[in-house]
Amino acid sequence: MTTQSAPASSALPLDMIIFGGTGDLSFRKLLPALYMAHLHCNLPPDTRILTIGRKPWSREEYISEFMETKAKPFIEKKAFNAAVWDKFLALFEYVRMDVDSPEDYARLAEVSRPNVCRVFYLATSPDLFTNICNNLASAGLIDENSRVVLEKPLGHDLASAQEINTAVGKHFDEAQIYRIDHYLGKETVQNLMVLRFGNPIFGPLWQAPYIKSVQITVAETVGVGSRAGFYDKTGALRDMVQNHLLQLLCIVAMEPPVSLDPDAVRDEKLKVLRSLRPMTPEDIARDTVRGQYTAGTVEGEAVKGYLEEDNVPTGSRAETFVALRAHINNWRWAHVPFFLRTGKRMQKKVSEIVIEFSELPFSIFPNNGRNYGNRLVIQLQPEESIQLQVLAKEPGSGMHMLPVNLNLDLQQAFTERRAEAYERLLIDVIRGRLTHFMRRDELEAAWAWAEPILEGWAKSGEKPRGYTAGTFGPAASNALMARENAVWAEESQ
Ligand code: BG6
């Protein structure tokens, strides 16, 4: 699949139109990110922000009830400037609409200006995407300068994702569609490309048999919070693995792209997704672990179990934890297991990629029976750092070796402000840069691999395993590693 180059509409005035303009994502992420873009002069001079919601608010009520009360607290204190905030608020219009009612789009058409670049940000449930796009088209609001941003998860399985893609594709060319995965907007994730493809030292070693295994962990301490309505239907595999973790896996595993052009990068990620070994029912039973947190203590605070959280249906089987072993069937990665793990209410918040290099074929040093290999730990969150574990001689008379870290603290190396992922990606949308967004075939390939796992779990009739909040998940997740002679990074420190 190729994408025609994005239309050159960035010079036009901008109408940023946010569906779901009164929702969680808007006040937590999108509006604070737009404020930051405005503060740093990254919005086109003649920008307006049209937020859409069902609440019967006037513009003034939207500003006071929503912007001031809900969105403002999510702006970093040190970045807040009252005069800039007032100017930012002046960009806003609130449009009260029922997005399923075609008549209401006339109201939007009245407010939106002609000859502008319209960016439609669909921060709603994906079930609404098709209707919204059809209605926008009927109201004559889509033209060659328009763009649409689709929030994840796009669909709940392959068929629904295809259906949405087809429906959206009737009105927008692929080059106008921005499927967002905010992990691709993280500075650290973008830096992974530089680490891999900008440093010749890693190139020759970045493959089997020099790499023995790869671990990708995205652990969160938060629970489901107020999102049970969404989360319980979704679960960790759809919420995190199908998108964020697979995207990280792609960046670790992809071949060097021929350039940084959107299609060059996305072609390589697609090849990785298509090379993922499909999981059979036996693989699913052996190589995947689902968990659900029970009451415990996280960061010193007693917390409820998932089943006791507000709005979680009795006896819910939604997984809040997943660990699995994946394989990539290609020359570079033959027989190298990729261990993926994510969970809520875990012991600590950490997102990291651990590249475990193979051991020496033979060691001339006494090693007390331990066989160390080198290990590269790329921490994405909460701190951005890269550590290379190497062996050094322990001071003393013998030749004993111990692992020590070559430590690169990127916070110290660069003191510049790091834009938050949504800010960076919104600016990409405004400037028509597609590299860090998913293409249709990529997204569908990710679903094609993930869906059998969901089906396998449903067929097995088993419940997710309980794990105490504040731990690193069910014991079965360690057993999964042990079978491969591996341990999760925190177990080997
Ligand atoms: C979102 C998920 O996509 O990513 C959330 O829907 C999750 O459940 C969040 O908490 C994690 O993002 P981050 O940037 O905090 O790691």
Side-chain angles (χ1 to χ4, degrees), residues 161-457:
Q162 284 170 328
E163 213 173 287
I164 294 171
N165 279 329
T166 304
V168 175
K170 280 195 190 132
H171 309 297
F172 294 92
D173 289 341
E174 186 60 30
Q176 296 174 285
I177 304 176
Y178 293 73
R179 294 181 193 81
I180 203 161
D181 178 318
H182 78 279
Y183 266 59
L184 295 181
K186 290 184 189 272
E187 181 73 52
T188 42
V189 175
Q190 297 186 0
N191 191 28
L192 247 179
M193 299 264 288
V194 178
L195 179 78
R196 275 203 64 196
F197 303 126
N199 291 293
I201 184 176
F202 294 118
L205 294 176
W206 206 268
Q207 55 188 314
Y210 309 109
I211 291 182
K212 194 171 87 170
S213 71
V214 175
Q215 297 180 22
I216 302 178
T217 293
V218 177
E220 301 184 90
T221 49
V222 292
V224 67
S226 56
R227 295 167 76 219
F230 156 79
Y231 195 85
D232 200 72
K233 290 194 247 88
T234 309
L237 193 98
R238 289 188 179 94
D239 187 41
M240 300 292 289
V241 179
Q242 186 271 343
N243 30 71
H244 303 327
L245 275 86
L246 285 188
Q247 285 295 319
L248 293 178
L249 174 142
C250 283
I251 300 176
V252 171
M254 71 202 260
E255 296 300 315
V258 292
S259 72
L260 287 179
D261 283 351
D263 279 338
V265 173
R266 300 187 302 178
D267 285 347
E268 296 308 333
K269 289 200 290 169
L270 176 66
K271 282 200 242 164
V272 174
L273 291 165
R274 289 197 174 147
S275 313
L276 281 169
R277 187 198 292 168
M279 287 217 189
T280 62
E282 296 72 45
D283 296 336
I284 295 165
R286 190 191 50 237
D287 292 340
T288 70
V289 177
R290 287 189 295 164
Q292 190 183 70
Y293 62 83
T294 56
T297 306
V298 178
E299 293 168 333
E301 210 180 292
V303 297
K304 292 183 199 167
Y306 180 72
L307 293 176
E308 291 91 61
E309 300 270 21
D310 293 346
N311 302 321
V312 169
T314 318
S316 162
R317 293 190 168 194
E319 78 283 356
T320 61
F321 173 94
V322 178
L324 57 82
R325 180 171 69 130
H327 278 276
I328 299 173
N329 278 347
N330 66 18
W331 282 26
R332 185 184 282 271
W333 297 112
H335 311 299
V336 178
F338 279 71
F339 298 105
L340 311 188
R341 174 175 64 157
T342 184
K344 296 216 180 279
R345 287 289 189 225
M346 301 202 37
Q347 197 176 93
K348 61 176 182 181
K349 180 170 171 74
V350 61
S351 301
E352 67 183 14
I353 298 169
V354 179
I355 312 288
E356 198 82 58
F357 290 93
S358 301
E359 291 98 9
L360 292 171
F362 173 78
S363 176
I364 60 168
F365 299 104
N367 56 9
N368 306 326
R370 288 192 70 172
N371 213 351
Y372 293 111
N374 297 106
R375 170 189 277 188
L376 182 69
V377 181
I378 304 157
Q379 187 169 112
L380 311 171
Q381 292 180 145
E383 306 302 336
E384 188 185 7
S385 67
I386 300 172
Q387 296 182 345
L388 180 63
Q389 210 175 74
V390 293
L391 288 184
K393 180 183 170 307
E394 189 182 14
S397 57
M399 285 293 268
H400 291 127
M401 307 180 292
L402 279 181
V404 284
N405 284 325
L406 285 176
N407 202 343
L408 175 59
D409 180 335
L410 288 155
Q411 247 83 16
Q412 267 181 17
F414 302 106
T415 50
E416 285 85 354
R417 175 183 89 91
R418 284 159 162 72
E420 208 267 329
Y422 273 99
E423 180 188 345
R424 195 189 306 268
L425 291 174
L426 278 162
I427 294 172
D428 280 353
V429 176
I430 294 167
R431 302 203 177 144
R433 297 190 297 223
L434 278 159
T435 302
H436 301 299
F437 295 84
M438 284 182 288
R439 206 170 53 190
R440 172 176 184 162
D441 44 11
E442 226 186 305
L443 180 107
E444 293 179 2
W447 271 122
W449 181 78
E451 189 176 298
I453 304 176
L454 292 164
E455 288 170 357
W457 287 344

Side-chain angles (χ1 to χ4, degrees), residues 38-65:
H38 170 68
L39 175 70
H40 292 279
C41 304
N42 281 322
L43 296 181
D46 196 0
T47 293
R48 286 186 332 150
I49 302 172
L50 313 181
T51 51
I52 293 173
R54 296 176 78 117
K55 293 219 160 64
W57 281 335
S58 63
R59 179 186 179 280
E60 288 61 40
E61 283 165 331
Y62 179 77
I63 300 285
S64 64
E65 304 287 322

